[in-house]
Amino acid sequence: MRILFTKNIDPVIISKALGEDITADCVEVIKTTPIIIPPFDLKNYSLIFTSVNGVAAFFKNRFRPNEDFTAKNYNKIYCVGDKTKKALRKNGFGTFKVLKNADVLSQFIIGHCQHEQFLHFCGNLAINVLDKDLPLQNIKYKKVTIYNTEEINPLITEKYHAAVFFSPSGVRSFAKRNSLENMKLFSIGETTSGELRNYTKGKIFTSEDNNLTSIFELIRKEAWSND
């Protein structure tokens, strides 16, 4: 079986996870570029990160959260996904809460954090979940665009038995010049699957969690199925 991954992943990691019966190619379908923004005070804000790119751009701009919870104006950090959590930890910061995806984070904030005010550091193509839901509940929320995502729209001439998608923008970029038919479609998370449904009526296999381990488990389980 030949599988196309729509982002670059270490071939050693893929081979170790999927074995020798599956060959894989990787093609980048989006490009991200950090944006340098004027500095401002983070005081009194809780911080939201929904991607590794958001974390990288945040620290590239030399922001420094105050994690001293004994201080009056410390910054709680909320994030989506284990990779985002690890990126924050790599920069020396912990997380107050880690949720599965933006929808679950939105519901958690609505249910438990009504009196906080939030800054969300994200890309220009971030999905409109938090900025749609939170203001409706009178929760103070501001999106800070801190990196740009560009859809590359590559033309893929090779044929694959399956393709793996990691973000809604990756789906749009691929679908611009390529068909999604006659392939098994694997997706990391329900948000990406939702974007795939805009382009195909075929079955979509969605990982339970938003990480590589979960998508590899799903591929091993379903790659040879007749669905």
Side-chain angles (χ1 to χ4, degrees), residues 78 99 103-116 118 130 133-134 137 139:
Y78 298 78
L99 281 307
D103 285 306
V104 178
L105 175 59
S106 176
Q107 292 307 308
F108 180 85
I109 289 174
I110 291 170
H112 300 87
C113 317
Q114 286 276 343
H115 302 296
E116 296 178 37
F118 294 88
L130 296 166
D133 293 349
L134 300 188
Q137 302 297 323
I139 296 173

